[in-house]
């Protein structure tokens, strides 16, 4: 475990043991291709200002320097956070930077930058990689907010267009790439809400052969999948979900090459710098304390999802879960997944009609207390929503049909509170009332 203490005293600009100034704002880390839990354990650990085992919260918006010359060197890029120099928390903040190091370790990337929301991470990285007139190829099955960003906002505000494709049809993916215009291939490692698993290595090969950058949303599968290890250039997250685990913060992250993160923080052209989706340092501290037990939480989410999915299928329900052997992507996920973390904590039940879906969720919440009717995922309680009328409501009927989202699709983020058998009895009781 790498240990780090706070820089003390003056600005220390002329010490012999300090690295020469570099024209960059974030120092690249050596990518770690270990098991995610091992990588996190090997990441640099920040102690508190007075030696506390937990890091201190740096709540300051602005930072002082000891010498006037230091300020000039900070703004010229000669000095930066890699040498423990900070200017303003919209640029870099020590507490947020530490969370970024943890996210980079988790995903096995050189660097990471944490943002105020998952959507700000997605929009910022795409705006950095694309310019007016450019083109994106994306999966036709995406979170509704991302679909709306690509379908409506980007064409209107940025003149960036998108072609949506079936990721399982690799020939269609190749055909959608427009030479000279397509800059990004964008998809979710496990799709929201249909739980389609992307063949990350093959899709990366297709994209890289054409000079595209591959951006993968791994919100549904932290620990389970490591897209960067499989070839992705950039991994984005809504940290609000599994990584937070508490349904109490909104946050996001961009994980990728240090060169990309630094370009996004450029004073003149950086999407993160100029759009300013800044994470609060207190939020970053909260999240940094939760990441060390993410592996334990994910194992239990995934274990219970597999048990419930298996039992529900035996009862005759139409269950969609990649951990089941009859799921079309089961073998693929098994070959790509990090071992011992399972197949994901989300399962879907297709009740065919919205009326039946709503009836099931009402019974589960109001009669048997199995879970809550709420969007989002990764909470310790089970969260349920009818995707077509909630998190995918931005899509029209045709788009939902292409994405495989039926009117009665119930998405369940399986929690781990209570005992497994206690919760199963509640679920089974509700099903019997249908």
């Amino acid at each position: 475990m790498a240990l780090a203490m706070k820089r003390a005293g003056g600005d220390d600009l002329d010490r012999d043991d300090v690295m020469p100034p570099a024209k960059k704002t974030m120092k690249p880390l050596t990518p770690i291709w270990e098991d995610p839990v091992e990588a996190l354990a090997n990441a640099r650990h920040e102690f508190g200002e007075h030696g506390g085992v937990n890091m201190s919260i740096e709540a300051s918006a602005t930072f002082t320097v000891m010498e006037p010359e230091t300020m000039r060197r900070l703004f010229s890029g000669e000095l930066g956070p890699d040498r423990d120099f900070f200017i303003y928390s919209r640029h870099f903040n020590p507490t947020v930077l530490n969370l970024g190091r943890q996210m980079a370790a988790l995903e096995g990337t050189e660097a990471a930058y944490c943002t105020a929301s998952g959507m700000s991470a997605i929009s910022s990285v795409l705006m950095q990689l694309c310019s007016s007139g450019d083109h994106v190829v994306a999966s036709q099955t995406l979170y509704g907010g991302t679909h709306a960003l690509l379908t409506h906002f980007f064409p209107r505000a940025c003149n960036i267009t998108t072609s949506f494709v079936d990721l399982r049809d690799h020939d269609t993916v190749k055909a959608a790439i427009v030479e000279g215009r397509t800059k990004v291939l964008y998809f979710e490692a496990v799709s929201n809400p249909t739980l389609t698993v992307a063949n990350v290595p093959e899709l990366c090969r297709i994209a890289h052969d054409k000079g595209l950058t591959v951006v993968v949303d791994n919100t549904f599968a932290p620990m389970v999948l490591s897209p960067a290890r499989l070839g992705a250039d950039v991994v984005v997250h809504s940290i609000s979900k599994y990584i937070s685990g508490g349904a109490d913060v909104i946050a996001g992250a961009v994980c990728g090459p240090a060169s990309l993160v630094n370009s996004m923080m450029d004073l003149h052209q950086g999407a993160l710098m100029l759009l300013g989706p800044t994470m609060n340092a207190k939020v970053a501290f909260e999240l940094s304390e939760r990441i060390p037990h993410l592996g334990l939480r994910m194992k239990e989410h995934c274990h219970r999802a597999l048990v419930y999915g298996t039992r529900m299928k035996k009862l005759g329900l139409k269950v969609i879960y990649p951990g089941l052997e009859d799921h079309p992507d089961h073998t693929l996920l098994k070959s790509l997944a990090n071992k011992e973390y399972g197949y994901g904590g989300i399962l879907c039940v297709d009740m065919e009609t919205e009326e039946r879906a709503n009836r099931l969720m009402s019974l589960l919440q109001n009669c048997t207390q199995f879970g809550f009717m709420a969007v989002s995922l990764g909470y310790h309680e089970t969260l349920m929503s009818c995707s077509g009328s909630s998190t995918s409501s931005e899509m029209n009927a045709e788009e939902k049909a292409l994405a495989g989202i039926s009117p009665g699709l119930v998405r369940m983020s399986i929690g781990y509170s209570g005992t497994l058998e206690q919760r199963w009895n509640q679920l089974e009781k509700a099903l019997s009332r249908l």
Side-chain angles (χ1 to χ4, degrees), residues 32 71 130 148 160 283 288-290 310-311 370 407 411:
I32 298 172
M71 186 76 74
C130 299
I160 297 169
V283 168
S288 70
E289 296 296 292
R290 301 177 191 186
T310 301
R311 293 180 182 182
F370 172 74
R411 188 188 77 183

Side-chain angles (χ1 to χ4, degrees), residues 11-82:
D11 290 342
D12 295 332
L13 300 181
D14 299 314
R15 282 172 32 199
D16 292 335
D17 60 333
V18 172
M19 292 289 289
K23 283 278 186 178
K24 59 187 177 186
T25 53
M26 179 176 284
K27 185 178 181 180
L29 302 174
T30 301
I32 298 172
W33 309 122
E34 307 165 275
D35 175 282
V37 167
E38 292 181 359
L40 283 167
N42 287 329
R44 167 176 166 175
H45 183 86
E46 292 281 354
F47 290 107
E49 186 173 5
H50 301 288
V53 294
N54 292 318
M55 68 180 296
S56 301
I57 302 174
E58 182 51 83
S60 299
T62 190
F63 299 83
T64 189
V65 295
M66 299 301 292
E67 304 293 338
E69 175 67 9
T70 306
M71 186 76 74
R72 182 194 63 77
R73 295 181 68 182
L74 281 165
F75 276 91
S76 70
E78 294 179 28
L79 300 174
D82 56 322

Side-chain angles (χ1 to χ4, degrees), residues 296-346:
L296 296 174
R297 290 187 281 115
M298 286 304 300
K299 286 182 180 182
E300 189 63 16
H301 284 299
C302 297
H303 170 62
R304 293 197 183 195
L306 178 60
V307 171
Y308 296 158
T310 301
R311 293 180 182 182
M312 291 165 76
K313 183 173 178 59
K314 287 180 179 178
L315 292 177
L317 290 166
K318 186 178 180 181
V319 179
I320 301 165
Y321 182 64
L324 299 178
E325 291 186 1
D326 65 347
H327 188 282
D329 299 325
H330 175 74
T331 302
L332 173 64
L333 179 56
K334 196 170 182 179
S335 70
L336 299 180
N338 296 311
K339 306 308 177 189
E340 299 183 5
Y341 294 100
Y343 300 96
I346 307 288

Side-chain angles (χ1 to χ4, degrees), residues 319-376:
V319 179
I320 301 165
Y321 182 64
L324 299 178
E325 291 186 1
D326 65 347
H327 188 282
D329 299 325
H330 175 74
T331 302
L332 173 64
L333 179 56
K334 196 170 182 179
S335 70
L336 299 180
N338 296 311
K339 306 308 177 189
E340 299 183 5
Y341 294 100
Y343 300 96
I346 307 288
L347 66 81
C348 293
V349 182
D350 191 348
M351 301 302 294
E352 297 182 349
T353 68
E354 186 177 349
E355 181 182 5
R356 281 176 55 81
N358 290 340
R359 172 70 174 154
L360 173 61
M361 291 190 296
S362 180
L363 287 169
L364 288 170
Q365 174 179 280
N366 301 322
C367 295
T368 68
Q369 290 76 52
F370 172 74
F372 303 147
M373 284 185 281
V375 297
S376 199

